[in-house]
Amino acid sequence: MTTVTTASRRQGRGGRERILAAAAGLFAAQGINATGMEQIAERAPVSKRTLYAHFRTKDELVLAHLKDLASTGRTLEGSLARKDVPPRERILALFEPPPVGTDPVRGCPFIDAAVEFPDPQNAVHSYAREQKLLMVRLVADLVKELGCREPSVLAEQLVTLADGAASRAMVLGDPNYGRHARTAAKILLDNALPTTI
């Protein structure tokens, strides 16, 4: 049993950031519902009083965690917004394996959250849905920029491939599973480009 003494707790600024970092690690390792607020406080390390001062409920913490992931670009959607990468490569980046050393292999955090908060009226589920709709819009904009035919349909096909690959990578424990979907995505993109006569 681990005991955290008051002296070992970091005091002062940065409590919120430490809580979010601890939550991110624990949620990825063991899931949202399997992670208790006490575990997060201990990992942060902060007192439970500090934890609840920042986040009144676990739902509030989960929502903040998802917003933090989105704002820092650490999601599939993050690769789509990069202006330093050509449009086609941004789309294909959806199928890249996670950075070396990332453990465990996780699927999309928004899908994971929606599964753990299945009520569509729940704020966490609602935010996850917003992010997945944003992903389609970002891909649609990129395929329009490439001059592809039927950009809305193609965008739905590409994000379905990306989400499916991320989910299968997680279930199978294969971080490079996206290579299969990447091949299919290239074919879809090539077939959607206008032909020149």
Side-chain angles (χ1 to χ4, degrees), residues 132-179:
K132 299 320 290 182
L133 293 172
L134 171 63
M135 184 180 180
V136 173
R137 288 193 303 274
L138 291 171
V139 171
D141 289 345
L142 293 174
V143 295
K144 278 181 202 169
E145 195 174 330
L146 290 171
C148 293
R149 294 184 304 273
E150 299 185 54
S152 298
V153 172
L154 180 58
E156 287 289 353
Q157 292 168 341
L158 291 166
V159 298
T160 299
L161 274 174
D163 284 338
S167 296
R168 287 186 62 81
M170 187 269 295
V171 170
L172 300 174
D174 179 0
N176 197 28
Y177 191 85
R179 69 190 180 280

Side-chain angles (χ1 to χ4, degrees), residues 35-91:
T35 300
M37 293 293 268
E38 192 167 307
Q39 276 184 296
I40 294 167
E42 187 173 320
R43 173 77 63 93
V46 296
S47 67
K48 285 201 288 186
R49 180 178 177 182
T50 298
L51 173 61
Y52 285 107
H54 287 287
F55 305 101
R56 292 173 300 163
T57 65
K58 187 173 177 184
D59 282 22
E60 212 174 270
L61 173 58
V62 173
L63 191 56
H65 159 68
L66 294 176
K67 288 180 177 181
D68 183 58
L69 285 177
S71 71
T72 56
R74 295 177 291 163
T75 63
L76 289 176
E77 293 78 7
S79 67
L80 298 171
R82 294 185 57 187
K83 300 297 183 194
D84 60 326
V85 177
R88 182 182 173 96
E89 293 310 309
R90 281 189 257 171
I91 294 166

Side-chain angles (χ1 to χ4, degrees), residues 96-105 175-176:
E96 290 296 316
V100 176
T102 302
D103 190 38
V105 177
N176 197 28

